Amino acid sequence: MKVNKSLLRKSHFLGTKIRNLRKRNNLTIEDLSTRCVRLNPEAAPSVSYLSMIERGKRVPAVEMLAVIAQVFQKELDWFLDGEAEEQDLVLPKQTKGGLNGMPLEPGFLFSGDILQIAIPELLSQTGTSGRQFAQLLIRAHQEHHQNHFPELERAAEEVGLKRLPLSVEELLAIVQQLGLSIHWFDEAPRELIDELGVRSNNIQTSFFVPPQSLHLHRILQQWPTRLKYELAVHIGHAVLHNKDGVKSSMAVGGAHDDVFADSSSMAPQDILHAWRDFESSFFAGALLCPKQPFRQLLERRGYEIASHLQAEVSASVAMRRMTAVSPYPHWHYFDAYSPGKLKAVYRGNGIPLPWGNMRQVQDPCQHWAVFRMFEVKESGSAAQLSLLDVQGQPRIYCCESTKVKDLAGNDHVLCAGIDLNPALAAQGLDADALAQEMKARCISYGGAATVPQSIQTTLKRVANILNINWVSRSMNKPAQLICARGGSCPRSPSCYQCPGSSS
């Protein structure tokens, strides 16, 4: 390919523009090269060549620059106007996680000594177990860090050597190298009633008995992706915690994983064991879906849920890992076992919870995608665009949900989604105005409305930059107004004033 002379003359700011665009969209040089290869393998630049372009050491051919322009949804002339890019966008500060910070005054009431006394009393009065409270603390920590734990990633990569996919046989070989012995057991499912009064089948699938005995339920032999996940979790316990796995039993079903432990009070070790379980679970995801290879797979597949088939892991593992490996940080993930029962939650984008893990609300919003999927009889996935007020301002969310069965036979719905406002702002667009326009349109049409063509064009452009296919697909259906509680329903009339509305 020959370098166009016009391009050579106008390339003074070219490298800086490409670098600024890449960083604004949270892409590494490797990410950008992968996306270019996906669009045009022949014209795409290598990682090393991209680096030289950004440093002004090389000038790309017109064909190569056209591929880069396509990634960022820019016109070719934008790169060649001979002018320096305007000052970098100053993006509004985004809420981290699902907990809004607030000043706690007077400060002395929140001292360690006072909290040590008050927290157990609070848990006792609300019927919250120490394990549940520990999981809430850990989730807040996870969301604050937006699912980035590089030490755990490195530990998993050292064990798995960044192999993708890992087979059951390869995981069993790692188990053997760690000196663990495997024992298979049989146990019938147990029907349990959880804290919300919902019945479900539950099976204890594995547990570890020190110093080296790993016990696995035979049913896992019929569910290879679940077997791989449980082996990976126990490998994590062995590697990270020196086989101190007394509490590392695992269960499948609608009840909490610690239901067999029968813990109903705050014990000193609750937080420690809950943290170790979280570390081992995160390690398992990183072992089965190592960051760089899995990120490249998702880039090639446009972040489709079906990518889990190529990675040979469950949809749940793949969707949770999306939130950790994606260059875009504003994700959420839900695992719902019934309308009102969220078993797993991650909110790196601060999306308000429609339900909690511990208590059913009386006025749930019926339009959340994760709960609407329970009404769908066939399997498969569905995308939804939603408008939700956060701190008094509407935000545009998009998600993909899929209905699956666990090995105990229980239906549950997995949902991975993103907050689109930061992505719109990163392109210099007025995200608040777009959200307000969409909210007003939805209200005028009774709560759901088709997306106007002008907004579709904008959102599809952002979807192409994010490289998330289901964002564009979500606009095939009306956008939905949703709320965190029915008492703040933005629809007119309210869902809770309509005859036959669900509760």
Side-chain angles (χ1 to χ4, degrees):
M1 293 184 295
K2 295 183 179 180
V3 177
N4 187 293
K5 291 183 179 180
S6 170
L7 177 60
L8 187 61
R9 289 194 303 269
K10 299 179 180 180
S11 64
H12 182 66
F13 299 110
L14 181 62
T16 300
K17 284 187 171 185
I18 293 174
R19 183 177 64 249
N20 288 348
L21 265 181
R22 176 176 62 77
K23 291 186 174 182
R24 183 184 301 167
N25 289 282
N26 299 303
L27 299 177
T28 65
I29 290 183
E30 291 80 5
D31 293 332
L32 180 52
S33 177
T34 299
R35 291 196 180 182
C36 290
V37 169
R38 180 171 176 252
L39 293 172
N40 188 334
E42 294 182 359
S46 66
V47 172
S48 59
Y49 200 80
L50 262 177
S51 177
M52 288 189 286
I53 291 173
E54 289 190 358
R55 289 182 286 122
K57 303 294 185 181
R58 292 289 187 276
V59 178
V62 173
E63 296 87 348
M64 183 180 291
L65 186 59
V67 179
I68 297 173
Q70 188 176 353
V71 170
F72 295 114
Q73 299 289 288
K74 293 282 189 183
E75 296 293 333
L76 194 63
D77 290 345
W78 183 86
F79 294 90
L80 306 176
D81 59 14
E83 297 179 5
E85 187 180 4
E86 294 180 6
Q87 189 173 358
D88 278 353
L89 291 173
V90 179
L91 300 179
K93 189 176 181 180
Q94 300 296 324
T95 301
K96 278 193 174 185
L99 300 177
N100 296 322
M102 65 178 69
L104 301 176
E105 298 292 347
F108 68 85
L109 288 178
F110 301 93
S111 66
D113 290 343
I114 298 297
L115 290 177
Q116 291 279 358
I117 298 169
I119 288 175
E121 179 68 16
L122 173 66
L123 302 184
S124 176
Q125 291 189 21
T126 59
T128 303
S129 73
R131 185 68 167 227
Q132 289 172 323
F133 179 68
Q135 289 168 343
L136 178 62
L137 287 177
I138 291 165
R139 197 184 75 204
H141 178 75
Q142 180 187 10
E143 292 170 352
H144 178 73
H145 290 280
Q146 292 189 307
N147 234 0
H148 291 158
F149 298 95
E151 296 84 1
L152 297 177
E153 297 274 3
R154 284 194 293 270
E157 290 173 356
E158 289 175 5
V159 172
L161 304 177
K162 299 184 181 181
R163 289 172 287 180
L164 180 72
L166 273 174
S167 67
V168 170
E169 292 71 26
E170 287 170 323
L171 288 163
L172 289 172
I174 295 172
V175 167
Q176 186 176 16
Q177 291 167 10
L178 292 171
L180 303 180
S181 60
I182 291 180
H183 307 271
W184 297 94
F185 69 93
D186 292 291
E187 186 176 283
R190 297 166 57 184
E191 186 179 68
L192 296 174
I193 302 176
D194 66 17
E195 64 279 4
L196 300 179
V198 178
R199 294 179 180 272
S200 61
N201 290 324
N202 291 263
I203 299 177
Q204 186 172 24
T205 45
S206 63
F207 58 93
F208 178 74
V209 178
Q212 61 185 27
S213 297
L214 177 55
H215 297 256
L216 301 172
H217 198 297
R218 288 191 188 279
I219 196 172
L220 289 169
Q221 296 173 348
Q222 304 168 33
W223 295 76
T225 57
R226 179 70 193 190
L227 174 58
K228 288 165 67 170
Y229 173 69
E230 300 218 1
L231 288 172
V233 169
H234 289 291
I235 289 169
H237 271 298
V239 170
L240 301 173
H241 311 132
N242 196 27
K243 303 178 186 177
D244 179 17
V246 179
K247 295 284 186 179
S248 61
S249 64
M250 300 183 69
V252 166
H256 285 292
D257 288 347
D258 63 336
V259 68
F260 297 94
D262 192 27
S263 173
S264 58
S265 60
M266 186 74 173
Q269 296 299 308
D270 278 337
I271 292 178
L272 173 62
H273 288 306
W275 174 248
R276 289 184 173 184
D277 284 348
F278 163 75
E279 285 187 316
S280 298
S281 178
F282 189 95
F283 175 97
L287 179 63
L288 296 174
C289 299
K291 186 171 186 177
Q292 200 59 37
F294 187 57
R295 188 163 166 171
Q296 291 174 350
L297 170 62
L298 292 174
E299 291 286 352
R300 293 193 301 271
R301 301 277 302 174
Y303 283 78
E304 294 286 6
I305 292 177
S307 301
H308 77 92
L309 298 173
Q310 283 71 42
E312 297 181 16
V313 297
S314 67
S316 174
V317 168
M319 292 166 77
R320 279 183 290 164
R321 281 298 284 167
M322 285 180 187
T323 70
V325 308
S326 170
Y328 189 66
H330 307 286
W331 285 77
H332 59 266
Y333 168 81
F334 297 144
D335 182 357
Y337 263 78
S338 66
K341 172 66 176 180
L342 290 174
K343 192 177 183 191
V345 173
Y346 168 72
R347 297 177 295 159
N349 57 16
I351 187 171
L353 271 179
W355 274 276
N357 285 26
M358 304 174 193
R359 185 172 299 166
Q360 179 104 36
V361 297
Q362 298 303 311
D363 57 347
C365 177
Q366 57 192 291
H367 302 289
W368 283 69
V370 64
F371 301 121
R372 287 162 62 94
M373 281 295 290
F374 280 102
E375 302 172 5
V376 177
K377 293 183 178 180
E378 66 275 6
S379 59
S381 58
Q384 177 171 311
L385 197 70
S386 304
L387 282 298
L388 172 66
D389 279 355
V390 180
Q391 298 180 350
Q393 294 293 324
R395 300 185 76 83
I396 306 173
Y397 292 96
C398 185
C399 67
E400 178 91 335
S401 303
T402 184
K403 188 176 180 181
V404 297
K405 279 188 182 292
D406 67 21
L407 58 77
N410 304 294
D411 286 326
H412 60 124
V413 175
L414 309 171
C415 177
I418 59 170
D419 180 355
L420 280 167
N421 281 45
L424 291 163
Q427 307 311 317
L429 301 168
D430 190 339
D432 292 337
L434 276 174
Q436 289 283 7
E437 181 180 345
M438 275 303 304
K439 178 183 176 181
R441 182 175 173 85
C442 287
I443 290 175
S444 67
Y445 282 89
T450 56
V451 182
Q453 191 59 50
S454 59
I455 296 181
Q456 279 199 39
T457 300
T458 298
L459 293 181
K460 286 181 178 179
R461 176 179 156 224
V462 170
N464 288 335
I465 295 171
L466 293 174
N467 190 30
I468 300 176
N469 291 348
W470 35 266
V471 175
S472 294
R473 203 159 58 238
S474 71
M475 285 173 276
N476 295 336
K477 298 184 299 184
Q480 294 282 342
L481 272 181
I482 62 175
C483 56
R485 294 288 186 272
S488 58
C489 179
R491 296 174 181 240
S492 181
S494 166
C495 296
Y496 291 86
Q497 298 170 357
C498 299
S501 64
S502 60
S503 59

PDB file of all heavy atoms in Angstrom, residues 222-246:
ATOM      1  N   GLN A 222     -22.360 -34.471  34.347  1.00  0.00           N
ATOM      2  CA  GLN A 222     -23.295 -34.203  33.259  1.00  0.00           C
ATOM      3  C   GLN A 222     -23.324 -32.720  32.882  1.00  0.00           C
ATOM      4  O   GLN A 222     -23.994 -32.337  31.915  1.00  0.00           O
ATOM      5  CB  GLN A 222     -24.708 -34.643  33.663  1.00  0.00           C
ATOM      6  CG  GLN A 222     -24.813 -36.102  34.084  1.00  0.00           C
ATOM      7  CD  GLN A 222     -26.152 -36.400  34.745  1.00  0.00           C
ATOM      8  OE1 GLN A 222     -27.179 -35.813  34.392  1.00  0.00           O
ATOM      9  NE2 GLN A 222     -26.149 -37.302  35.710  1.00  0.00           N
ATOM     10  N   TRP A 223     -22.657 -31.888  33.658  1.00  0.00           N
ATOM     11  CA  TRP A 223     -22.642 -30.447  33.425  1.00  0.00           C
ATOM     12  C   TRP A 223     -21.182 -29.963  33.395  1.00  0.00           C
ATOM     13  O   TRP A 223     -20.670 -29.396  34.348  1.00  0.00           O
ATOM     14  CB  TRP A 223     -23.398 -29.721  34.551  1.00  0.00           C
ATOM     15  CG  TRP A 223     -24.856 -30.029  34.595  1.00  0.00           C
ATOM     16  CD1 TRP A 223     -25.453 -31.166  35.055  1.00  0.00           C
ATOM     17  CD2 TRP A 223     -25.910 -29.178  34.143  1.00  0.00           C
ATOM     18  NE1 TRP A 223     -26.810 -31.078  34.928  1.00  0.00           N
ATOM     19  CE2 TRP A 223     -27.132 -29.868  34.377  1.00  0.00           C
ATOM     20  CE3 TRP A 223     -25.963 -27.897  33.590  1.00  0.00           C
ATOM     21  CZ2 TRP A 223     -28.365 -29.318  34.050  1.00  0.00           C
ATOM     22  CZ3 TRP A 223     -27.200 -27.349  33.277  1.00  0.00           C
ATOM     23  CH2 TRP A 223     -28.378 -28.055  33.493  1.00  0.00           C
ATOM     24  N   PRO A 224     -20.484 -30.193  32.267  1.00  0.00           N
ATOM     25  CA  PRO A 224     -19.044 -29.897  32.223  1.00  0.00           C
ATOM     26  C   PRO A 224     -18.685 -28.434  32.511  1.00  0.00           C
ATOM     27  O   PRO A 224     -17.660 -28.173  33.133  1.00  0.00           O
ATOM     28  CB  PRO A 224     -18.637 -30.307  30.806  1.00  0.00           C
ATOM     29  CG  PRO A 224     -19.914 -30.433  30.039  1.00  0.00           C
ATOM     30  CD  PRO A 224     -20.968 -30.804  31.027  1.00  0.00           C
ATOM     31  N   THR A 225     -19.527 -27.487  32.072  1.00  0.00           N
ATOM     32  CA  THR A 225     -19.158 -26.084  32.333  1.00  0.00           C
ATOM     33  C   THR A 225     -19.255 -25.777  33.825  1.00  0.00           C
ATOM     34  O   THR A 225     -18.424 -25.037  34.365  1.00  0.00           O
ATOM     35  CB  THR A 225     -20.053 -25.113  31.537  1.00  0.00           C
ATOM     36  OG1 THR A 225     -21.429 -25.345  31.849  1.00  0.00           O
ATOM     37  CG2 THR A 225     -19.831 -25.287  30.041  1.00  0.00           C
ATOM     38  N   ARG A 226     -20.256 -26.331  34.504  1.00  0.00           N
ATOM     39  CA  ARG A 226     -20.344 -26.125  35.958  1.00  0.00           C
ATOM     40  C   ARG A 226     -19.215 -26.861  36.665  1.00  0.00           C
ATOM     41  O   ARG A 226     -18.641 -26.340  37.636  1.00  0.00           O
ATOM     42  CB  ARG A 226     -21.706 -26.606  36.481  1.00  0.00           C
ATOM     43  CG  ARG A 226     -21.888 -26.445  37.990  1.00  0.00           C
ATOM     44  CD  ARG A 226     -22.014 -24.993  38.394  1.00  0.00           C
ATOM     45  NE  ARG A 226     -21.882 -24.826  39.845  1.00  0.00           N
ATOM     46  CZ  ARG A 226     -22.137 -23.700  40.497  1.00  0.00           C
ATOM     47  NH1 ARG A 226     -22.532 -22.627  39.830  1.00  0.00           N
ATOM     48  NH2 ARG A 226     -21.991 -23.620  41.804  1.00  0.00           N
ATOM     49  N   LEU A 227     -18.883 -28.060  36.204  1.00  0.00           N
ATOM     50  CA  LEU A 227     -17.764 -28.797  36.798  1.00  0.00           C
ATOM     51  C   LEU A 227     -16.475 -27.990  36.677  1.00  0.00           C
ATOM     52  O   LEU A 227     -15.695 -27.891  37.635  1.00  0.00           O
ATOM     53  CB  LEU A 227     -17.609 -30.152  36.106  1.00  0.00           C
ATOM     54  CG  LEU A 227     -16.390 -30.994  36.509  1.00  0.00           C
ATOM     55  CD1 LEU A 227     -16.368 -31.278  38.008  1.00  0.00           C
ATOM     56  CD2 LEU A 227     -16.360 -32.308  35.717  1.00  0.00           C
ATOM     57  N   LYS A 228     -16.247 -27.390  35.516  1.00  0.00           N
ATOM     58  CA  LYS A 228     -15.042 -26.594  35.319  1.00  0.00           C
ATOM     59  C   LYS A 228     -15.009 -25.411  36.278  1.00  0.00           C
ATOM     60  O   LYS A 228     -13.961 -25.098  36.862  1.00  0.00           O
ATOM     61  CB  LYS A 228     -14.962 -26.125  33.856  1.00  0.00           C
ATOM     62  CG  LYS A 228     -14.633 -27.249  32.883  1.00  0.00           C
ATOM     63  CD  LYS A 228     -14.908 -26.888  31.444  1.00  0.00           C
ATOM     64  CE  LYS A 228     -14.006 -25.809  30.928  1.00  0.00           C
ATOM     65  NZ  LYS A 228     -14.133 -25.647  29.454  1.00  0.00           N
ATOM     66  N   TYR A 229     -16.164 -24.751  36.444  1.00  0.00           N
ATOM     67  CA  TYR A 229     -16.205 -23.602  37.347  1.00  0.00           C
ATOM     68  C   TYR A 229     -15.901 -24.023  38.790  1.00  0.00           C
ATOM     69  O   TYR A 229     -15.112 -23.377  39.483  1.00  0.00           O
ATOM     70  CB  TYR A 229     -17.571 -22.925  37.271  1.00  0.00           C
ATOM     71  CG  TYR A 229     -17.753 -21.827  38.295  1.00  0.00           C
ATOM     72  CD1 TYR A 229     -17.026 -20.639  38.204  1.00  0.00           C
ATOM     73  CD2 TYR A 229     -18.621 -21.989  39.375  1.00  0.00           C
ATOM     74  CE1 TYR A 229     -17.173 -19.640  39.153  1.00  0.00           C
ATOM     75  CE2 TYR A 229     -18.781 -20.996  40.314  1.00  0.00           C
ATOM     76  CZ  TYR A 229     -18.057 -19.826  40.210  1.00  0.00           C
ATOM     77  OH  TYR A 229     -18.202 -18.840  41.154  1.00  0.00           O
ATOM     78  N   GLU A 230     -16.505 -25.115  39.246  1.00  0.00           N
ATOM     79  CA  GLU A 230     -16.285 -25.539  40.634  1.00  0.00           C
ATOM     80  C   GLU A 230     -14.846 -25.995  40.848  1.00  0.00           C
ATOM     81  O   GLU A 230     -14.237 -25.700  41.887  1.00  0.00           O
ATOM     82  CB  GLU A 230     -17.281 -26.627  41.019  1.00  0.00           C
ATOM     83  CG  GLU A 230     -18.726 -26.152  40.917  1.00  0.00           C
ATOM     84  CD  GLU A 230     -19.636 -26.676  42.002  1.00  0.00           C
ATOM     85  OE1 GLU A 230     -19.173 -27.408  42.891  1.00  0.00           O
ATOM     86  OE2 GLU A 230     -20.842 -26.330  41.969  1.00  0.00           O
ATOM     87  N   LEU A 231     -14.271 -26.706  39.872  1.00  0.00           N
ATOM     88  CA  LEU A 231     -12.857 -27.062  39.981  1.00  0.00           C
ATOM     89  C   LEU A 231     -11.992 -25.812  40.060  1.00  0.00           C
ATOM     90  O   LEU A 231     -11.056 -25.729  40.869  1.00  0.00           O
ATOM     91  CB  LEU A 231     -12.438 -27.912  38.779  1.00  0.00           C
ATOM     92  CG  LEU A 231     -12.949 -29.356  38.727  1.00  0.00           C
ATOM     93  CD1 LEU A 231     -12.612 -29.986  37.373  1.00  0.00           C
ATOM     94  CD2 LEU A 231     -12.359 -30.186  39.865  1.00  0.00           C
ATOM     95  N   ALA A 232     -12.329 -24.805  39.235  1.00  0.00           N
ATOM     96  CA  ALA A 232     -11.541 -23.565  39.223  1.00  0.00           C
ATOM     97  C   ALA A 232     -11.650 -22.821  40.546  1.00  0.00           C
ATOM     98  O   ALA A 232     -10.666 -22.248  41.040  1.00  0.00           O
ATOM     99  CB  ALA A 232     -12.003 -22.672  38.070  1.00  0.00           C
ATOM    100  N   VAL A 233     -12.851 -22.821  41.172  1.00  0.00           N
ATOM    101  CA  VAL A 233     -13.021 -22.168  42.471  1.00  0.00           C
ATOM    102  C   VAL A 233     -12.165 -22.857  43.524  1.00  0.00           C
ATOM    103  O   VAL A 233     -11.470 -22.205  44.325  1.00  0.00           O
ATOM    104  CB  VAL A 233     -14.509 -22.173  42.895  1.00  0.00           C
ATOM    105  CG1 VAL A 233     -14.642 -21.745  44.362  1.00  0.00           C
ATOM    106  CG2 VAL A 233     -15.316 -21.236  42.012  1.00  0.00           C
ATOM    107  N   HIS A 234     -12.189 -24.180  43.554  1.00  0.00           N
ATOM    108  CA  HIS A 234     -11.407 -24.907  44.561  1.00  0.00           C
ATOM    109  C   HIS A 234      -9.903 -24.793  44.297  1.00  0.00           C
ATOM    110  O   HIS A 234      -9.108 -24.767  45.242  1.00  0.00           O
ATOM    111  CB  HIS A 234     -11.853 -26.367  44.610  1.00  0.00           C
ATOM    112  CG  HIS A 234     -13.219 -26.546  45.222  1.00  0.00           C
ATOM    113  ND1 HIS A 234     -13.459 -26.330  46.561  1.00  0.00           N
ATOM    114  CD2 HIS A 234     -14.416 -26.886  44.674  1.00  0.00           C
ATOM    115  CE1 HIS A 234     -14.741 -26.549  46.819  1.00  0.00           C
ATOM    116  NE2 HIS A 234     -15.338 -26.879  45.689  1.00  0.00           N
ATOM    117  N   ILE A 235      -9.524 -24.698  43.039  1.00  0.00           N
ATOM    118  CA  ILE A 235      -8.118 -24.410  42.728  1.00  0.00           C
ATOM    119  C   ILE A 235      -7.743 -23.045  43.300  1.00  0.00           C
ATOM    120  O   ILE A 235      -6.655 -22.865  43.869  1.00  0.00           O
ATOM    121  CB  ILE A 235      -7.880 -24.456  41.201  1.00  0.00           C
ATOM    122  CG1 ILE A 235      -7.959 -25.897  40.695  1.00  0.00           C
ATOM    123  CG2 ILE A 235      -6.522 -23.844  40.837  1.00  0.00           C
ATOM    124  CD1 ILE A 235      -7.994 -26.013  39.168  1.00  0.00           C
ATOM    125  N   GLY A 236      -8.669 -22.078  43.164  1.00  0.00           N
ATOM    126  CA  GLY A 236      -8.427 -20.751  43.726  1.00  0.00           C
ATOM    127  C   GLY A 236      -8.233 -20.797  45.228  1.00  0.00           C
ATOM    128  O   GLY A 236      -7.325 -20.158  45.771  1.00  0.00           O
ATOM    129  N   HIS A 237      -9.082 -21.552  45.935  1.00  0.00           N
ATOM    130  CA  HIS A 237      -8.920 -21.693  47.386  1.00  0.00           C
ATOM    131  C   HIS A 237      -7.556 -22.274  47.720  1.00  0.00           C
ATOM    132  O   HIS A 237      -6.878 -21.823  48.656  1.00  0.00           O
ATOM    133  CB  HIS A 237     -10.021 -22.598  47.952  1.00  0.00           C
ATOM    134  CG  HIS A 237     -11.262 -21.855  48.346  1.00  0.00           C
ATOM    135  ND1 HIS A 237     -11.275 -20.883  49.319  1.00  0.00           N
ATOM    136  CD2 HIS A 237     -12.546 -21.943  47.897  1.00  0.00           C
ATOM    137  CE1 HIS A 237     -12.507 -20.404  49.459  1.00  0.00           C
ATOM    138  NE2 HIS A 237     -13.295 -21.028  48.600  1.00  0.00           N
ATOM    139  N   ALA A 238      -7.144 -23.292  46.965  1.00  0.00           N
ATOM    140  CA  ALA A 238      -5.871 -23.951  47.255  1.00  0.00           C
ATOM    141  C   ALA A 238      -4.689 -23.015  47.004  1.00  0.00           C
ATOM    142  O   ALA A 238      -3.740 -22.955  47.794  1.00  0.00           O
ATOM    143  CB  ALA A 238      -5.735 -25.220  46.409  1.00  0.00           C
ATOM    144  N   VAL A 239      -4.751 -22.255  45.894  1.00  0.00           N
ATOM    145  CA  VAL A 239      -3.636 -21.370  45.521  1.00  0.00           C
ATOM    146  C   VAL A 239      -3.584 -20.133  46.403  1.00  0.00           C
ATOM    147  O   VAL A 239      -2.516 -19.733  46.886  1.00  0.00           O
ATOM    148  CB  VAL A 239      -3.758 -20.980  44.035  1.00  0.00           C
ATOM    149  CG1 VAL A 239      -2.761 -19.880  43.679  1.00  0.00           C
ATOM    150  CG2 VAL A 239      -3.568 -22.192  43.139  1.00  0.00           C
ATOM    151  N   LEU A 240      -4.727 -19.514  46.628  1.00  0.00           N
ATOM    152  CA  LEU A 240      -4.761 -18.226  47.322  1.00  0.00           C
ATOM    153  C   LEU A 240      -4.731 -18.364  48.841  1.00  0.00           C
ATOM    154  O   LEU A 240      -4.202 -17.501  49.530  1.00  0.00           O
ATOM    155  CB  LEU A 240      -6.019 -17.444  46.925  1.00  0.00           C
ATOM    156  CG  LEU A 240      -6.194 -17.114  45.440  1.00  0.00           C
ATOM    157  CD1 LEU A 240      -7.559 -16.498  45.199  1.00  0.00           C
ATOM    158  CD2 LEU A 240      -5.092 -16.178  44.954  1.00  0.00           C
ATOM    159  N   HIS A 241      -5.306 -19.457  49.355  1.00  0.00           N
ATOM    160  CA  HIS A 241      -5.520 -19.561  50.803  1.00  0.00           C
ATOM    161  C   HIS A 241      -4.849 -20.785  51.409  1.00  0.00           C
ATOM    162  O   HIS A 241      -5.225 -21.213  52.501  1.00  0.00           O
ATOM    163  CB  HIS A 241      -7.018 -19.570  51.102  1.00  0.00           C
ATOM    164  CG  HIS A 241      -7.764 -18.476  50.413  1.00  0.00           C
ATOM    165  ND1 HIS A 241      -8.940 -18.682  49.708  1.00  0.00           N
ATOM    166  CD2 HIS A 241      -7.470 -17.157  50.288  1.00  0.00           C
ATOM    167  CE1 HIS A 241      -9.351 -17.537  49.195  1.00  0.00           C
ATOM    168  NE2 HIS A 241      -8.477 -16.597  49.517  1.00  0.00           N
ATOM    169  N   ASN A 242      -3.878 -21.325  50.676  1.00  0.00           N
ATOM    170  CA  ASN A 242      -3.079 -22.430  51.209  1.00  0.00           C
ATOM    171  C   ASN A 242      -3.954 -23.593  51.669  1.00  0.00           C
ATOM    172  O   ASN A 242      -3.735 -24.190  52.722  1.00  0.00           O
ATOM    173  CB  ASN A 242      -2.186 -21.948  52.357  1.00  0.00           C
ATOM    174  CG  ASN A 242      -1.076 -22.931  52.670  1.00  0.00           C
ATOM    175  OD1 ASN A 242      -0.639 -23.683  51.786  1.00  0.00           O
ATOM    176  ND2 ASN A 242      -0.622 -22.942  53.920  1.00  0.00           N
ATOM    177  N   LYS A 243      -5.009 -23.883  50.872  1.00  0.00           N
ATOM    178  CA  LYS A 243      -5.914 -25.013  51.115  1.00  0.00           C
ATOM    179  C   LYS A 243      -6.692 -24.880  52.419  1.00  0.00           C
ATOM    180  O   LYS A 243      -7.182 -25.867  52.960  1.00  0.00           O
ATOM    181  CB  LYS A 243      -5.149 -26.347  51.098  1.00  0.00           C
ATOM    182  CG  LYS A 243      -4.388 -26.608  49.804  1.00  0.00           C
ATOM    183  CD  LYS A 243      -3.606 -27.908  49.863  1.00  0.00           C
ATOM    184  CE  LYS A 243      -2.755 -28.057  48.603  1.00  0.00           C
ATOM    185  NZ  LYS A 243      -1.929 -29.268  48.654  1.00  0.00           N
ATOM    186  N   ASP A 244      -6.837 -23.643  52.900  1.00  0.00           N
ATOM    187  CA  ASP A 244      -7.644 -23.417  54.094  1.00  0.00           C
ATOM    188  C   ASP A 244      -9.088 -23.256  53.634  1.00  0.00           C
ATOM    189  O   ASP A 244      -9.633 -22.163  53.625  1.00  0.00           O
ATOM    190  CB  ASP A 244      -7.157 -22.167  54.833  1.00  0.00           C
ATOM    191  CG  ASP A 244      -7.977 -21.879  56.078  1.00  0.00           C
ATOM    192  OD1 ASP A 244      -8.691 -22.789  56.543  1.00  0.00           O
ATOM    193  OD2 ASP A 244      -7.911 -20.745  56.582  1.00  0.00           O
ATOM    194  N   GLY A 245      -9.719 -24.372  53.253  1.00  0.00           N
ATOM    195  CA  GLY A 245     -11.011 -24.302  52.596  1.00  0.00           C
ATOM    196  C   GLY A 245     -12.143 -24.880  53.396  1.00  0.00           C
ATOM    197  O   GLY A 245     -13.067 -25.470  52.831  1.00  0.00           O
ATOM    198  N   VAL A 246     -12.112 -24.737  54.697  1.00  0.00           N
ATOM    199  CA  VAL A 246     -13.157 -25.324  55.532  1.00  0.00           C
ATOM    200  C   VAL A 246     -14.532 -24.832  55.119  1.00  0.00           C
ATOM    201  O   VAL A 246     -15.512 -25.573  55.119  1.00  0.00           O
ATOM    202  CB  VAL A 246     -12.901 -25.006  57.024  1.00  0.00           C
ATOM    203  CG1 VAL A 246     -14.006 -25.602  57.881  1.00  0.00           C
ATOM    204  CG2 VAL A 246     -11.551 -25.554  57.460  1.00  0.00           C
TER     205      VAL A 246
END
